[in-house]
Amino acid sequence: MSTQDRTPHLPRRKRSGRLTLAMMGASAFGLTACGQPPQEEQITEVDFDEPKSFQSVEECVAENVYTRSACEDSYKASLEAVPRYNTLEECEAENGEGACAAPTEEQSQAATGSTGGSWFMPAMMGYMVGSMMSNTSRGRSFERVYQEPVYRNRQNQGNWNTASNQATQRVSQRNESMRSSVAQNRRAASQRSGFGSRSSARGGWGS
Amino acid sequence: MLRIDIPERKEWKALAQELGFHFHTIDGEPYWKEDAYYQFTMEQVERDIEAPTEALHEMCMELVDKVCHSNALMQRLALPEHMWDSIHNSWKSGQPHLYGRMDFAYSGDGPAKLLELNYDTPTSLYEAGFFQWVWLEQAIAQGILPRHADQYNSIQERLINAMAHLGDRLEARTLYFSCIKDNAEERATVHYLQDVAVQAGLNAPFIFTEDIGLQAGAEHFVDLDDQPIHALFKLYPWEEMADDAFGEAIPQLNTHWFEPPWKAILSNKGILPLLWEHFEGHPNLLPAFFENASSPPLPAGWVRKPFFSREGSNVELITPAGQREAVGGPYTDSPWIRQAYHPMPRFGDNHALIGSWVVGDRACGMGIREDVGRITKDSSCFVPHAIV
């Protein structure tokens, strides 16, 4: 992708700049986002690529999808969005015991532009990088959009696949006897209609 | 917070049809209404809705942790025992959730009061996240709203972020989506979530809840081709899943669920008295208690709700002035809670309820429902909002 990332300076706003639908009929939907982007540019079409999350700048670079500067910029923007605390206690009070750390020099530099100062933050579990490709009145351009931590850093968030598999293994062992008894009662073919049985009795489930 | 009459957009119904919003009118009654909008100031949104939503979300997460470590609390919330391991493990292993919605009574004056959490199967998502956004953009373009108008709504953008984040952890970047048969509104909501997932680079196949299969010896629930379902989004409540024929198999199989089993703790109105016990006096909470056999008849100024109820069913209230309102329904087989009555703001004949969205762990938008009654129901209308 282009190394000439333009970082638009947006007015403070509470709504997304642009939205589109991929499947629900929005292909016929030509909407000009008002006041955004500013001035003469008119968005005519927007595509998202597949944003990815990474644990570190090096991991992002190694993926060979984004330029180093895009990886670094996104990392820096993510760090800027991470809440900062004056003391470890304050941070742990909000994020849980053991969930906080002092920033490394590199993180401190990225977040505040200086290595000085003493502060704490929830340990970073990863950050998002992605891009949005827009056809505009000035031609085709790329802009970064995904650049913030999605989840607060709580427990093992971010590692859930491995961690839950381990947990599931423990459960599986504990339920070994239960499993075999259930298995005996099953036919070899799949059973269906084991969920949703009450749907006829009630109209729906959304709340 | 004001309710302001405005002209509708030209041709909005045709646009709604084109954009998959087929339930803008339900049984001949309007569901989406745009002959008025709710107007907020930026301060009201940020100070009174966004910040309290994030604070309450953190309090909820703290409670989930407590409940996960206490069989007594699991019991108090009437969570079925065969689900305890799944609930505990899904939390301990940090299985991420996707979204939730808090319902607030808020008038623009004084703190928003949490009426309930919809953290397992929240709906009104498409209309809040997408169609409401389109309304604002077009209303500005058509001169109905001033150019500087804004909206508290990055719901879809956050959903794409969250989905993309999950996608990296999913087998083959695949997340199945499901809801029950014969419900157009829920199918549309799930269709929207599939759309969001596709935009985040996921594979997003669909299977009806009733078609999910269980196969001897398989490690996962299976799809209609008997292929393993590694991860599944369900617009179907945990308390019903746990009770269904396949409920006992959930803890034994490796299928990952969205929302994860720990959401069962929050999709249960028993969480409201627990919140009050742990954070009594918090400005955004209403006093709430578990009802028991010796509880007196419902006094004036109180609301009675079953643990498990959707769309206002089986809710009963008596205002401080003694007016009684109640909605019937099938949810009579679970325990009940009582919550102090707090009036929703009234604009003409309408009571307005704020739905405040959380995606990942961030507050990110809101949608307003209004009803002539004091209890918000599935027939309550969606009215857009703007920050002006």
Side-chain angles (χ1 to χ4, degrees), chain B residues 24 73-74 133 135 161 170 173 197 234 268 325 352 380:
Chain B
H24 62 73
L73 287 175
M74 293 254 200
W133 182 90
W135 165 82
N161 280 13
L170 296 172
R173 295 188 74 84
K234 48 141 205 92
N268 169 332
E325 269 187 46
S380 305

Side-chain angles (χ1 to χ4, degrees), chain B residues 52-73:
Chain B
T53 299
E54 297 220 335
L56 289 168
H57 179 76
E58 292 308 311
M59 287 153 58
C60 289
M61 296 299 111
E62 198 180 318
L63 265 189
V64 168
D65 193 60
K66 282 206 163 67
V67 174
C68 276
H69 290 91
S70 160
N71 289 352
L73 287 175

Side-chain angles (χ1 to χ4, degrees), chain A residues 5 8 11 34 37 47 54 63 68 90 140 151 155 161 188 196:
Chain A
D5 279 323
C34 285
D47 295 310
F54 301 102
E63 187 90 349
R68 176 171 283 275
E90 278 174 48
R140 207 152 174 83
Y151 290 90
Q155 302 184 331
N161 218 349

Side-chain angles (χ1 to χ4, degrees), chain B residues 182-223:
Chain B
D182 301 323
N183 187 295
E185 188 181 341
E186 295 195 356
R187 182 67 191 90
T189 300
V190 171
H191 199 187
Y192 175 59
L193 278 160
Q194 287 176 273
D195 195 301
V196 166
V198 165
Q199 292 187 50
L202 270 60
N203 304 308
F206 179 80
I207 183 167
F208 280 115
T209 306
E210 295 90 334
D211 290 338
I212 295 166
L214 182 66
Q215 198 175 37
E219 292 283 313
H220 302 87
F221 288 101
V222 296
D223 68 12

Side-chain angles (χ1 to χ4, degrees), chain B residues 9-43:
Chain B
R9 284 169 298 165
K10 298 180 202 87
E11 315 285 337
W12 74 262
K13 285 188 182 169
L15 180 70
Q17 288 299 127
E18 200 175 310
L19 294 178
F21 190 17
H22 306 299
F23 57 103
H24 62 73
T25 304
I26 300 174
D27 299 332
E29 296 293 321
Y31 168 65
W32 170 271
K33 281 205 301 195
E34 61 172 73
D35 56 356
Y37 77 99
Y38 282 94
Q39 189 185 81
F40 292 78
T41 65
M42 185 66 89
E43 194 180 38

